[in-house]
């Protein structure tokens, strides 16, 4: 078995990685799995480590952290042509993306999957040159993601409460609707919006499920357009979405590609990592473009021998 490269985020989960690594190392040693642990700080540093992993002889690169860590590792692997699979040990605050996969939530059992797992191909998506595994958020959603990150750092908050409080604070403190044109393969929308969210996985915002769909192997994004509304109505809309109650202010559809053009630069994020501000964003799905290590008995997932050609840009 080729060695594993574990890329650990020392700041994930409120800095608890240091307490978890001995458990992970013990599981891997007991199963005879050679591995190396590397730490870094920041998106580019994580992505660069992952990008070099295949050339350095590693059989898989493992993200030990939350959604931001997974995002950076996915970007690095995709840059290198998706030649090796990605493993995930959920050790962040929300761990939203892993909820879309049959990967155990517990660190010890997730580490066991690294030694027995099979590489299964899943969809990945790309926007303006950056890849995302779970979600692209534009406007209000991006500001909520940034606010949740600040709350985690300042108040040591974890779990769904971070997102609920960040959403509430953003809605009551400021609203910045923006006029956009949104175009997919089958439809177009023009008007003022608070947020646009494109979901590749099955969960975003910690507990908000995406549209009922096959999920990470359907070649589609679940697109949400949240139209401008009054402030108090915005708060009501937010809670209804969380509770999966249909609301007329939220337009939903599935698409393989989407282009968003705004009348000014707007905030955006991918899997919680800031994407920066832009006036135009073009997102697309790369069907089954990356492989993830999953338990061998996980169905209906099936291993594939190599990355699909669609992974090439």
């Amino acid at each position: 078995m080729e060695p594993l490269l574990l890329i650990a985020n020392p700041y994930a989960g409120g800095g608890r990685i240091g307490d978890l690594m001995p458990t992970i190392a013990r599981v891997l040693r007991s199963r005879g799995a050679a591995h190396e642990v590397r730490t870094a700080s920041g998106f580019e540093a994580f992505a660069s480590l992952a990008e070099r992993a295949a050339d350095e002889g590693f059989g898989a690169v493992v993200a030990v952290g939350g959604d931001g860590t997974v995002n950076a590792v996915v970007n690095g692997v995709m840059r290198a042509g998706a030649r090796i699979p990605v493993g995930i040990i959920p050790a962040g605050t929300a761990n939203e993306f892993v909820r879309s996969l049959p990967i155990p939530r517990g660190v010890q059992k997730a580490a066991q999957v690294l030694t027995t797992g099979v590489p299964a191909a899943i969809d990945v998506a790309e926007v303006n040159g950056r890849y995302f595994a779970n979600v692209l958020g534009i406007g209000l959603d991006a500001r909520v993601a940034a606010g949740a990150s600040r709350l985690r750092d300042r108040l040591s908050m974890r779990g769904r409460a971070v997102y609920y409080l960040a959403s509430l604070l953003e809605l009551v403190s400021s609203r910045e609707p923006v006029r956009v044109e949104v175009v997919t393969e089958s439809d177009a929308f023009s008007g003022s919006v608070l947020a646009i969210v494109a979901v590749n996985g099955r969960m975003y915002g910690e507990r908000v499920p995406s549209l009922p769909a096959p999920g990470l192997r359907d070649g589609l994004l679940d697109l949400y357009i949240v139209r401008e509304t009054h402030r108090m109505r915005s708060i009501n809309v937010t809670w209804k979405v969380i509770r999966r109650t249909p609301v007329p202010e939220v337009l939903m559809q599935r698409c393989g590609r989407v282009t968003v053009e705004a009348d000014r630069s707007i905030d955006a994020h991918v899997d919680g990592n800031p994407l920066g501000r832009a006036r135009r964003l073009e997102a697309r799905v790369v069907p089954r473009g990356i492989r993830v290590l999953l338990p061998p008995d996980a169905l209906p997932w099936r291993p594939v021998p190599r990355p699909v050609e669609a992974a090439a840009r």
Side-chain angles (χ1 to χ4, degrees):
M1 179 179 178
E2 296 173 305
L4 304 169
L5 174 61
L6 276 61
I7 299 179
N9 182 352
Y11 304 105
R16 65 191 183 112
I17 293 294
D19 296 330
L20 300 178
M21 290 310 300
T23 298
I24 297 169
R26 184 170 60 253
V27 170
L28 296 179
R29 283 197 303 268
S30 69
R31 291 170 171 254
H35 66 281
E36 182 176 331
V37 179
R38 297 179 186 173
T39 60
S41 178
F43 169 85
E44 189 56 43
F46 288 121
S48 295
L49 287 175
E51 185 176 6
R52 299 193 300 267
D55 289 335
E56 294 178 348
F58 292 101
V61 57
V62 181
V64 186
D67 297 299
T69 309
V70 173
N71 177 265
V73 167
V74 164
N75 272 268
V77 169
M78 291 298 291
R79 286 181 195 173
R83 288 178 289 158
I84 59 176
V86 173
I88 301 174
I89 295 182
T93 298
N95 303 312
E96 297 167 18
F97 178 59
V98 79
R99 297 175 189 275
S100 302
L101 298 166
I103 292 176
R105 307 294 184 266
V107 168
Q108 184 168 340
K109 290 186 176 180
Q112 293 173 0
V113 171
L114 301 180
T115 66
T116 62
V118 292
I122 65 170
D123 297 342
V124 68
E126 179 263 338
V127 56
N128 290 16
R130 282 274 294 275
Y131 291 95
F132 61 97
N134 194 43
V135 62
L136 160 68
I138 302 169
L140 174 68
D141 191 74
R143 297 196 300 275
V144 168
S149 179
R150 290 192 296 270
L151 287 173
R152 286 194 295 265
D153 293 340
R154 296 175 184 176
L155 303 179
S156 299
M157 295 184 67
R158 295 181 58 197
R160 74 179 73 179
V162 175
Y163 292 93
Y164 289 173
L165 181 55
S167 298
L168 184 60
L169 291 174
E170 180 62 37
L171 287 168
V172 300
S173 63
S174 66
R175 286 169 61 253
E176 297 181 17
V178 60
R179 186 159 188 86
V180 298
E181 291 186 4
V182 182
V183 179
T184 68
E185 308 97 312
S186 60
D187 207 352
F189 167 83
S190 179
S192 294
V193 302
L194 294 178
I196 299 171
V197 181
V199 186
N200 182 49
R202 299 291 299 124
M203 195 78 65
Y204 74 96
E206 168 69 1
R207 291 289 183 178
V208 182
S210 63
L211 294 169
L216 283 164
R217 292 160 65 90
D218 61 0
L220 296 171
L221 296 169
D222 293 345
L223 181 67
Y224 297 78
I225 301 173
V226 184
R227 294 185 288 186
E228 179 187 9
T229 185
H230 296 296
R231 179 171 299 184
M232 292 308 297
R233 177 63 180 163
S234 297
I235 297 173
N236 189 36
V237 165
T238 299
W239 295 121
K240 284 190 173 183
V241 170
I242 290 172
R243 297 175 61 187
R244 303 190 71 180
T245 304
V247 286
E249 290 86 353
V250 181
L251 306 178
M252 297 178 287
Q253 66 168 284
R254 295 194 180 99
C255 60
R257 291 178 175 267
V258 59
T259 299
V260 178
E261 188 139 13
D263 63 358
R264 63 178 185 272
S265 294
I266 49 178
D267 295 299
H269 79 93
V270 283
D271 299 335
N273 284 336
L275 185 63
R277 296 174 65 86
R279 291 192 60 177
R280 181 182 177 88
L281 296 107
E282 298 182 34
R284 67 184 179 100
V285 177
V286 182
R288 306 196 183 189
I290 197 166
R291 295 173 299 157
V292 176
L293 292 176
L294 300 179
D297 58 348
L299 298 175
W301 303 87
R302 290 289 188 271
V304 294
R306 59 185 299 275
V308 293
E309 293 300 324
R313 291 187 60 192

